[in-house]
Amino acid sequence: MFKRISALLLAGLTAMAVASCGSSGGGTTSAGTDGGADSITMGFSQVGAESGWRTANTKSVQDSAKNAGITLKFSDAQQKQENQIKAIRSYIQQKVDVIAFSPVVESGWDTVLKEAQNAKIPVILTDRAVDSKDTSLYKTFLGSDFVEEGKKAGQWLVEEYKDTKDPVNIVELQGTTGSAPANDRKAGFAEVIQADPKFKIVASQTGDFTRAKGKEVMEAFLKSTPDIDVLYAHNDDMGLGAIEAIEGAGKVPGKDIKIITVDAVKDGMQALADGKINFIVECSPLLGPQLMDLAKKVVKGEQVPARVVTEETTFTQEQAKQVLSTRQY
Ligand code: AHR
C-alpha cells in the first residue's frame, strides 16, 4: 500500500513539476514520500493469548502502532503454526507494507517467508526466532536472548545451593514444544547446571506456557517424582499453575520446593514478593515501540541491525517487593 501510494504521489508531484504550476496547496509533502507513518500498514501475526506476557505484548504492539500512526492488521494464531502461515499469506495478498510475527515454533517457515520475499514485503521477526538458514528471508529479529535467560536461572540456582553437597532434584516445566524460548531456556539452564553433577533434572515436560497445563503437569510430577527440591518453569504462568498444585499437595511453594520462573509479569512478581517464587528472570513483552521504529525504517528501505536484543534484568524476593507497585504489566 505504502509503495502504491508513494508511486501515485510521485507521479502526481512529477506531473506538477513538469507543468511548473506554482499553485498554492498543490505541493504539500505527503506521508508517503517523507517517510511518515500515516500510510504504512503492518500485518502482525501473534502467537496467541497463552500467558500474561502475551497479553502485555499484544497491548504493547497495538498501542505502539496507534501512537506511531501505523495501521495494524492483527491476528491471533491460537498457538497454531498453520494459522500463522494462513495469516501471513493473507497479508501478502492484501499487499501490506510490512509483516511482523512472533513465530510459535522455530521450524517450517522458509516457504511462506520466500513468498513474502517474492512479493517484496519485508518481514520482521519479533519476540521469537526462526531456524531458517537463509537469513535474507527477514530483515531483523527483535527480542530477548532466551539462552541468556536460561543461564541466569541456572546461575541463581548454582549460587543458592553452593554450600550443599547433596543431590538437588529439579523438575522442569518447558514452554511450547519446538518454540525458541522453550529450546533456548532449556539449553541455557542445562549449560550452567551441568558443571556440577549434584544438579539433576529428574523430570521435564511441556506445560505449553499456560497456567492450566503448568498445574496439570506439576500435579503429575508430584505424584511420580519423590523429593522435588526445585521447579524451573519457563514462564510465570506455568509457575503460578504449579504453585496451586504444590499447595494442593500440602507443600509450601518457595520453601519445600524452590521455584524459578521467567517473565516477571505482575502476577509472577506478586508471588515472588509473597515468597512463593524464589527468583524470576525478566523477559520484557514491551516490544511495540521498537517494532514500530524498525518497521518505519525497513519500509523506507533503510538498513537496520540484523538482531536487536531486549534489555532485561532479574528479580529476587526483596527486589520484587520494591518494584511491584510500579510494574507496568
Ligand atoms: O516468547 C516469549 C514467551 O512466550 C514468554 O516467556 C511466555 O510467557 C510466552 O507465552
Side-chain angles (χ1 to χ4, degrees), residues 17 76 137 147 150:
D76 173 340
L137 292 175
V147 175

Side-chain angles (χ1 to χ4, degrees), residues 39 159 187 221-222 290 326:
S39 58
E159 181 61 23
F221 284 164
L222 286 160
Q290 277 173 297
T326 57

Side-chain angles (χ1 to χ4, degrees), residues 47 49-54 79 102-103 126-128 144 146 149 176 179-181 185 208-210 234-237 262-263 265 283:
V47 169
E50 73 283 4
S51 61
W53 189 99
R54 190 64 54 195
Q79 296 241 65
S102 174
T126 168
D127 163 35
R128 297 184 182 179
S144 309
F146 296 134
E149 291 173 351
T176 303
S179 68
R185 285 173 188 165
D208 225 2
F209 280 130
T210 68
H234 290 187
N235 80 345
D236 288 346
D237 279 83
V262 184
D263 276 356
V265 294
C283 176

Side-chain angles (χ1 to χ4, degrees), residues 135-158:
T135 53
S136 77
L137 292 175
Y138 52 91
K139 296 289 177 198
T140 181
F141 165 36
L142 162 69
S144 309
D145 182 338
F146 296 134
V147 175
E148 195 52 37
E149 291 173 351
K151 284 187 187 170
K152 287 178 188 166
Q155 282 152 4
W156 180 84
L157 191 66
V158 168

Side-chain angles (χ1 to χ4, degrees), residues 160-319:
E160 180 72 6
Y161 284 89
K162 65 175 187 293
D163 300 325
T164 312
K165 295 252 175 315
D166 300 336
V168 179
N169 291 336
I170 304 158
V171 295
E172 181 180 33
L173 280 169
Q174 297 179 39
T176 303
T177 306
S179 68
N183 294 341
D184 295 353
R185 285 173 188 165
K186 182 172 184 54
F189 182 74
E191 190 187 318
V192 172
I193 63 161
Q194 76 183 3
D196 190 335
K198 76 183 177 200
F199 294 112
K200 291 185 180 25
I201 299 185
V202 292
S204 180
Q205 208 177 302
T206 182
D208 225 2
F209 280 130
T210 68
R211 215 176 273 215
K213 199 80 195 292
K215 182 177 180 196
E216 187 188 311
V217 177
M218 190 68 202
E219 280 168 351
F221 284 164
L222 286 160
K223 281 185 194 136
S224 65
T225 316
D227 304 329
I228 300 170
D229 299 304
V230 174
L231 162 68
Y232 169 43
H234 290 187
N235 80 345
D236 288 346
D237 279 83
M238 292 189 295
L240 292 164
I243 287 172
E244 290 176 32
I246 293 167
E247 288 175 335
K251 291 182 188 282
V252 183
K255 293 212 163 57
D256 295 336
I257 297 178
K258 301 244 166 97
I259 302 178
I260 309 167
T261 64
V262 184
D263 276 356
V265 294
K266 249 203 182 124
D267 288 357
M269 292 291 274
Q270 182 65 62
L272 183 62
D274 292 345
K276 296 184 178 193
I277 293 179
N278 302 78
F279 187 67
I280 299 186
V281 178
E282 186 184 42
C283 176
S284 174
L286 306 179
L287 303 177
Q290 277 173 297
L291 173 61
M292 299 310 148
D293 285 350
L294 288 166
K296 287 183 195 173
K297 286 185 177 149
V298 299
V299 169
K300 280 198 271 178
E302 287 177 16
Q303 280 295 319
V304 291
R307 176 78 170 101
V308 182
V309 183
T310 321
E311 274 181 36
E312 285 153 354
T313 186
T314 58
F315 295 99
T316 60
Q317 293 175 338
E318 277 317 305
Q319 288 165 331

